[in-house]
Amino acid sequence: LRVLESWVAVHGIGPVPRDALFEGERLGAWVRAIRKQYRYGRLSSERSEVLEALLGWARQPPGEPAGGE
């Protein structure tokens, strides 16, 4: 979560590319996994609220069909 917060601070609002590496972490893969957890109802409400509070966070990236991977 700290790395996502740093990403938003540096890059502002916008999607995290799937292959994004940031601060030595595979941030794109992490965000993709979080979105998948949300889609399948496995993301806790606490974590969802924290992520929603981050400026620019979107559980589904723009242009991606609902439920799609």
Side-chain angles (χ1 to χ4, degrees), residues 16-44:
V16 178
R18 288 182 178 193
D19 61 350
L21 293 173
F22 190 70
E23 296 183 355
E25 302 291 335
R26 296 177 54 210
L27 184 60
W30 181 82
V31 168
R32 189 174 182 196
I34 291 294
R35 287 186 177 125
K36 192 176 213 179
Q37 288 177 20
Y38 174 79
R39 229 180 355 263
Y40 293 110
R42 297 183 192 140
L43 191 63
S44 72

Side-chain angles (χ1 to χ4, degrees), residues 3-69:
V3 177
L4 179 60
E5 290 171 336
S6 295
W7 171 277
V8 169
V10 170
H11 296 281
I13 298 173
V16 178
R18 288 182 178 193
D19 61 350
L21 293 173
F22 190 70
E23 296 183 355
E25 302 291 335
R26 296 177 54 210
L27 184 60
W30 181 82
V31 168
R32 189 174 182 196
I34 291 294
R35 287 186 177 125
K36 192 176 213 179
Q37 288 177 20
Y38 174 79
R39 229 180 355 263
Y40 293 110
R42 297 183 192 140
L43 191 63
S44 72
S45 59
E46 293 84 14
R47 172 150 277 179
S48 184
E49 287 174 16
V50 169
L51 291 169
E52 288 171 359
L54 278 175
L55 183 62
W57 168 256
R59 290 174 293 224
Q60 181 158 331
E64 183 176 301
E69 265 196 71

